[in-house]
Amino acid sequence: MVCSDVSLDELVGFHVGIDAFGYANLGILYQAEFPVGAVYCIRAGAVKLMKSTPSGEHRILRVLKTGDVAGLESAFAETYEHTAVAIGKVQACRIPITHFRRFVAGYPDLQVRLLQKSAAALREAETWYSAMLGSGTPARVRVARLLLRLRAGSSDRIHRLSLDDMAAMAGITRETVSRAISEFIRMGILVKSGSGMNTRHFRGDMPALEKIAQPD
Amino acid sequence: MVCSDVSLDELVGFHVGIDAFGYANLGILYQAEFPVGAVYCIRAGAVKLMKSTPSGEHRILRVLKTGDVAGLESAFAETYEHTAVAIGKVQACRIPITHFRRFVAGYPDLQVRLLQKSAAALREAETWYSAMLGSGTPARVRVARLLLRLRAGSSDRIHRLSLDDMAAMAGITRETVSRAISEFIRMGILVKSGSGMNTRHFRGDMPALEKIAQPD
DNA sequence: CGTGTACTTGAGTGGGCTCAAGCAGGGTGG
DNA sequence: CCACCCTGCTTGAGCCCACTCAAGTACACG
């Protein structure tokens, strides 16, 4: 991660003007097409990256979790590429883009690392979409993969976002997602947990989910 | 494009060891998991970037055309991310990775440009996959979008790759692709052209295709 | 406790997948 | 030069999964 890969001494001189922020559910970090103002290190929670289609709908392209950096792909562009929206409670630190650019300019090694991180994001996106694209892929498998992807860290906790969001990510309808999840719950490999609208998550049997996600 | 964005004077000192190569149909430029040896500027033709799935199949993730640079995403990694295979006749210039890295190191501005290019690749991938993901998207629409994407430059020529390749890209079966294309041909908005195995392409009525591709 | 949103569940339909033949057409060998 | 074959493409019939439409239910929040 960008923030933690550099020594504290290096960062301290640039942390001036960097603040920690909290975002409630559906809070907007930044909006697509707007001028780039900052990048954000996600300290806790999850953030969805969306983009509006010409026809008014919006599609979820990626979900960032603890440790990811939001807005990185727009760091050297004029305007943001996506709209970033908080899922549940999010804690993030906001790094003004001017600081960020100055910081990067001062540490050439960091530029290479940014390139690698960018390449990693591309690879991840490709892997993800290629996993969802297969038309022969049954809905249950898609949902299992989606759940695995929404895992928080290495725990058995899974970020639970709305059915519509999951449906948009998996490329299937909300009803189908609902049916698949109901099935998993009946099987006992998935448990709803956290009743409040802000701390929603599942507890999942990861090995079982991986087994279902297996069939290519 | 990286090669042409810099002045000839800047390049000339680094072009030592850079050669032009020709690749016949299905010629391999480089292979996934192998050590990175070079990046390639595509001078003519098209190249498909593939990745093998755990189950032995391979999926086409992107298609590079004239003016693109192959292997860029692996330029600062140890091994190649994809396997690059020529579609039809391809002309490319091979830039040894050592040269490339030395060159980039010498021109800091270029690093920012590489970051932007990397971000552009990510955006393109996201746009593309999100266009294909919609499960409600009819096969005809998918194929129309695919064809538009395979357009050579701004002409009415469309790179014609195998049905299986197109099927892999659109996330549908080869039969369905065949039916859609047959329909387009019957409608007269698509014409097969170039009989040899190397110079295969369509001639397409772009406005008509765009109209079909429209419905989000 | 009421209200609204999000989720669940059901019945019926249809588009694309599967399976299974036919059909070019170009490359190879006689 | 022609016949063959082999790969890639086309076309058809039937089925199944996921979508659509439409209620009904749970649950969070005021």
Side-chain angles (χ1 to χ4, degrees), chain B residues 2-198:
Chain B
V2 176
C3 289
S4 51
D5 277 350
V6 292
S7 78
L8 211 61
D9 284 342
E10 288 173 341
L11 260 179
V12 78
F14 292 86
H15 254 325
V16 181
I18 299 179
D19 292 310
F21 282 89
Y23 294 88
N25 193 32
L26 296 188
I28 297 177
L29 276 69
Y30 56 81
Q31 255 179 312
E33 314 297 339
F34 277 57
V36 173
V39 297
Y40 300 78
C41 292
I42 312 297
R43 295 302 200 188
V47 171
K48 57 180 174 180
L49 260 42
M50 314 185 311
K51 203 173 175 180
S52 297
T53 64
S55 54
E57 307 168 29
H58 54 51
R59 195 166 276 292
I60 296 178
L61 294 165
R62 255 184 305 160
V63 171
L64 302 180
K65 298 182 291 190
T66 305
D68 291 325
V69 180
L72 205 55
E73 58 283 328
S74 306
F76 294 93
E78 291 290 320
T79 58
Y80 283 112
E81 179 65 23
H82 312 100
T83 298
V85 176
I87 300 170
K89 276 184 176 156
V90 169
Q91 210 175 340
C93 77
R94 181 183 190 276
I95 305 174
I97 194 63
T98 51
H99 285 67
F100 182 79
R101 283 181 185 149
R102 236 190 302 149
F103 184 58
V104 171
Y107 295 83
D109 290 350
L110 200 55
Q111 299 178 3
V112 171
R113 226 159 336 136
L114 280 180
L115 265 172
Q116 290 170 340
K117 195 146 187 62
S118 179
L122 181 56
R123 174 173 57 245
E124 195 195 344
E126 284 176 341
T127 304
W128 169 244
Y129 287 120
S130 89
M132 284 295 125
L133 234 187
S135 58
T137 315
R140 288 166 55 260
V141 176
R142 289 181 185 225
V143 174
R145 288 177 182 167
L146 176 58
L147 291 171
L148 286 172
R149 181 153 223 260
L150 294 175
R151 172 149 63 147
S154 305
S155 68
D156 65 341
R157 284 229 326 272
I158 296 171
H159 291 287
R160 178 149 86 97
L161 32 86
S162 78
L163 278 184
D164 289 285
D165 285 350
M166 292 197 216
M169 291 183 73
I172 53 183
T173 59
R174 65 181 144 274
E175 291 95 330
T176 305
V177 175
S178 175
R179 282 182 240 270
I181 286 182
S182 299
E183 184 186 340
F184 293 160
I185 290 177
R186 272 194 301 274
M187 285 197 269
I189 65 176
L190 205 63
V191 183
K192 281 181 190 170
S193 175
S195 51
M197 199 57 174
N198 273 337

Side-chain angles (χ1 to χ4, degrees), chain A:
Chain A
M1 170 182 168
V2 176
C3 290
S4 52
D5 276 352
V6 292
S7 78
L8 211 60
D9 284 342
E10 288 172 341
L11 261 179
V12 78
F14 292 86
H15 254 323
V16 180
I18 300 179
D19 290 310
F21 282 88
Y23 295 88
N25 193 32
L26 296 187
I28 296 177
L29 276 69
Y30 55 81
Q31 255 180 314
E33 315 298 337
F34 277 57
V36 173
V39 297
Y40 300 78
C41 293
I42 312 298
R43 294 302 200 189
V47 170
K48 56 181 173 182
L49 261 43
M50 314 186 309
K51 203 174 175 180
S52 296
T53 64
S55 55
E57 310 167 27
H58 53 47
R59 197 165 276 292
I60 295 178
L61 294 164
R62 253 181 307 158
V63 170
L64 302 181
K65 299 180 293 187
T66 304
D68 291 325
V69 179
L72 205 55
E73 57 284 327
S74 307
F76 294 94
E78 290 291 319
T79 58
Y80 283 113
E81 178 65 24
H82 311 101
T83 297
V85 175
I87 300 170
K89 275 185 177 153
V90 169
Q91 210 177 337
C93 76
R94 183 184 189 276
I95 305 174
I97 194 64
T98 51
H99 286 66
F100 182 79
R101 284 182 184 145
R102 234 189 304 148
F103 185 58
V104 170
Y107 295 83
D109 290 349
L110 200 54
Q111 299 178 3
V112 170
R113 234 172 316 149
L114 279 181
L115 265 171
Q116 291 170 340
K117 194 144 189 63
S118 179
L122 182 57
R123 174 174 57 245
E124 195 194 345
E126 284 176 340
T127 304
W128 169 245
Y129 287 121
S130 90
M132 285 296 125
L133 237 185
S135 58
T137 315
R140 290 166 56 260
V141 176
R142 289 183 186 223
V143 174
R145 286 177 183 167
L146 176 58
L147 292 171
L148 286 172
R149 199 194 160 92
L150 294 176
R151 171 151 62 148
S154 305
S155 67
D156 66 342
R157 284 229 325 272
I158 297 171
H159 290 288
R160 177 148 87 99
L161 32 85
S162 78
L163 278 184
D164 289 285
D165 284 351
M166 293 198 215
M169 292 183 72
I172 54 183
T173 59
R174 97 200 67 159
E175 292 94 331
T176 306
V177 175
S178 175
R179 281 182 242 271
I181 286 182
S182 298
E183 185 186 338
F184 293 161
I185 289 177
R186 272 193 301 274
M187 284 197 269
I189 65 177
L190 205 63
V191 182
K192 281 182 191 169
S193 176
S195 53
M197 200 56 177
N198 273 336
T199 60
R200 297 167 43 136
H201 54 272
F202 291 113
R203 297 268 170 184
D205 180 348
M206 297 308 169
L209 285 174
E210 271 162 10
K211 206 166 159 191
I212 294 173
Q214 195 69 19
D216 214 50

